[in-house]
Amino acid sequence: MPGDGLVSLSASHHGRVVDNIVEETDLREWESQLYREAVKQFNLVAERMGLDDNIAERLRVPQRAIVVSFPFRHDQYSDVETLYGYRVQHLLTMGPTKGGIRYAPDVNLGEVAALAMLMTWKCAIIGLPFGGAKGGVRVDPLRLSRAEKQRVTRRYTAEIINFIGPNKDIPAPDMGTDEQVMAWIMDTYSQQMGHSVPAVVTGKPPALGGSVARREATGRGLVSLLPLAWQHRGGGSPEGLDVVIHGFGNVGRYAAIAAEQLGCHVTAISDVSGGLYNGSGIDITAVAEHVDREGTLEGFEGGDRITNDEIFELDCDVLMPCAIGGVITKANADRVKASLIMEGANGPTTAEGDEILQERGIVVVPDVIGNAGGVTVSYFEWVQDLQNYFWSESEIVGRLREIMNRAFDDVLSVAVRESVPLRTAALMRGVKRVADAKLIRGVFP
Ligand code: NAD
């Protein structure tokens, strides 16, 4: 079983054991800390469900993983650097695969494989006709000029072009990528096909067949669950709650706006430059304007500077991690003061961190449902592109809320029936849908 280091990697199937040490070539290529976390989480759920062993083994590994390397010419014309890109399609059983593309300096195959697996569960929990995928390029987006980012995007797209498409695999934005990057992917793909193919990506600008309300969807979807989750935790109206948000990018910003609209006080936010605290509530409109102008929270005067570590330990009602993975761990979980955690980021809580939160009775709305608003509106966008028929903002927002609330209610009923935390309940629901579909499809040949 993956997860316990070198020796445990299914040596009988995958390699030769020499003096109890598996040769290094037998390491599965996507092994990483994050991947092990994803498998550990899956194993717990599979065991609890009594999942068929063959199905479980298939779901533990990605169905398709692509690694590419390509040359990237800097604006400084003489500099050519080799970059690495990844695309992992975890499961092709449910329909085309779907998942974001991230640009980050430390992105790797293991991280992308773990996130692709999470996407499979997320789509199944919500009931979308997709398997999970994820992609990335190992590059620091903050050091790229616009022209450089465009060159990286177009070449990466060209490298994976045979594996993506409206019926194959549909990328979307993730950390370090945005609507403009999706527009370049769509254009590169369309140039190669000889005609316009908007449905190859979601999260595009509306001018290219993007959906209105996609940009806000993940943050808005997360906060749409706040009244239900707060009620589940035993509270009343969410009005007046103190909310702390880690990350002020796409997800964090729109979560902050939606929380403010709900009557909450957003008392702290952060980005890669550090955090900002204001006990009486940060002015989100003003800080968003500052970030649009300066590209960072640094220099904003409407609060005190704090560190990204301190933000997790602030006194508040609700904590929303909306930046990177692995931030709530055994090192800080016992100092979290919030009684409700709503995960906007993917994988923000490690398995050990999660155990501590559970012991302390802190309710966690897990990523697989918390941030599913993004892929849900991406699904709407894909459907609209395929039909060339576009919906109004109110239709989209209404359907998003309905789907999110229904999924949350379903997950909650599993949690109550099985006496398990929301994360386990959500995964049980997602894994069951996928396992049923796999069993019905059978084994080829
Ligand atoms: P983004 O690039 O728009 O924003 C990321 C934010 O995190 C920025 O404010 C950045 O400064 C901050 N950040 C980066 N590194 C940090 C660090 N080390 N410490 C503190 N802050 C840091 O990305 P996003 O689209 O908002 O995605 C954020 C998270 O949400 C990711 O985990 C992503 O996988 C997940 N997610 C995004 C979407 C979506 O629709 N964009 C959907 C589902 C899940």
Side-chain angles (χ1 to χ4, degrees), residues 108-149:
N108 58 65
L109 183 63
E111 174 179 340
V112 168
L115 293 168
M117 184 190 278
L118 269 188
M119 277 303 289
T120 293
W121 313 141
K122 194 181 301 178
C123 292
I125 291 161
I126 301 292
L128 306 178
F130 300 126
K134 207 76 177 189
V137 178
R138 194 186 299 170
V139 67
D140 182 356
L142 296 177
R143 73 171 175 85
L144 297 179
S145 69
R146 180 184 159 90
E148 288 177 331
K149 204 174 205 180

Side-chain angles (χ1 to χ4, degrees), residues 102 122 134 173-176 214 218 246-252 270-272 308 322-324 344-346 371 374:
R102 65 171 49 171
K122 194 181 301 178
K134 207 76 177 189
D174 196 88
M175 269 175 64
R214 169 62 184 87
T218 308
H246 180 241
F248 197 69
N250 174 281
V251 180
S270 76
D271 70 4
V272 71
N308 262 308
C322 294
I324 51 171
N346 282 312
N371 67 28

